[in-house]
Amino acid sequence: MITKTKIPLLKDHHSHPFLSALLSDCIDLKEAQTKEEALSRMREGNKDKINIILGWSNHRYLFEEQDLDQLPPIIICNTSFHCFLINRATKEKLGNSHQAILTNINDEKWVEQNLPNILKFIGSLKPFRPQQLKTFFRYLLQQGVWFAEEMLLPFEWVIPLFREKGYFDRTRFWANMEMFHSLNQETQKEVYGIKVFTDGALGSKTAALKVPYSSGEKGVLVYSDEELHQLIDQVAGINKAIALHAIGDRAIAQIVTVLSKINDEQGGIPPTRIEHSLFISQHDAQKAKSLGITLSMQPNFSIDSTRFQDRLSECYYRQINPFRMLIDDIGFVPGEDLVFGSDGLPYGVQTALEMALFPPLPSQVLTLDEFVGGYCMPSQKNGFIEVTIDEEKRSVLTKVKFEARNPVF
Ligand SMILES: [Zn+2]
């Protein structure tokens, strides 16, 4: 059966528009299928500056130190942005600066504990042209995205920049606690909430799991229960919302336990989102629902059920993105306490909708109405997407239509 319909443009609840705009002209290894191809692409890097390299997936190939030491100065970012490789030429170029990062970049726990600062450091290596933001928002719109939440504010000047360029109404800013406290009072008001990383990611094998990865590791839990409790208390104290990054079941269980305790002690919790919630169990979903927590999830990540079979046991990869359990059994409602985004992997309606309607597993399927509820703008005022769904071929065709006269385009 073939269905044709129109849906509003997307509201991407988890994205990184500034970082994506800033890094949009970097060398990308996404298309490099072999290590040799990747090395030859990186050899083309500029010898006089530090080259940020994107799109490296360690399920395809690994790099040896000697492979990288023959290259121009590079910092390779794993696609997850939770693991980085820095070569000798970069270390020489940085000299005595950024010693903590250079010394600890291979220490998984340190990297997860210091992730916002590492991303800020990487961002500071690239000169930024305001035109890049405009180009990126134009790209987002062509991909069907109207609104993109900025999950990790890297620099104070980014907020006035968004305002000046006319994108302020198309985003919402989250910042980590350290960044928030460094802002002046007026700018603090513009920050919607505080972002906290409680574990790592699957791409770097640092998402905190109860049952270890096939290599024996269990991932990284960034905080002890007490530390997380204190941090959430601090967020409540400044009257902001909180977005807790948690991918593994161990991290999600910790969040739910700590928030239940806070709720018992204080009779409430700050407005809370769990970002990703990839391996949320039925038990923790029930508790999250009763605490009024919103789950902010990525239909795109359903593909991890096939992508990461190299590191996860079958019982684990079958648990990824359990949307049917969350909606049918627990009662989460898309658009109310279940919202969707891309994390930029990739941006846009095409992959998001295809992965929502036709994911690898039946437990991950969303209906079109659920997708629209949790992922779309409330109206078609700024544009719409023509959608053709082919049930038999399990494919989706999307065509984005927007008002070309729009001043920001
Ligand atoms: Zn993110």
Side-chain angles (χ1 to χ4, degrees), residues 2 24 45 48 90 141 161 183 185 195 205 225 238 244 256 342 352 365 384 401-402:
I2 293 181
S24 56
D48 301 320
T90 294
L141 191 51
L161 175 80
L183 302 173
Q185 265 187 356
K195 170 83 183 280
K205 292 197 222 172
D225 289 7
I238 55 170
L244 297 154
V256 168
S342 70
V365 172
F384 58 89
K401 305 271 183 178
F402 50 84

Side-chain angles (χ1 to χ4, degrees), residues 14 33 45 75 91 106 124 131 145 185 189 224 232 243 249 272 287 300 313 320 329 359 376 391 401 405:
H14 184 120
Q33 294 301 324
I75 298 181
K91 287 179 187 159
N106 296 323
S124 67
Q131 178 63 27
V145 181
Q185 265 187 356
K189 287 186 199 148
S224 67
I232 297 171
D249 50 358
T272 303
K287 281 168 95 178
N300 290 357
S313 61
I320 288 176
D329 303 339
C376 287
E391 293 284 341
K401 305 271 183 178
R405 277 180 299 137

Side-chain angles (χ1 to χ4, degrees), residues 326-342:
L326 294 171
I327 297 169
D328 300 337
D329 303 339
I330 311 295
F332 277 94
V333 179
E336 284 177 26
D337 51 8
L338 177 60
V339 295
F340 303 127
S342 70

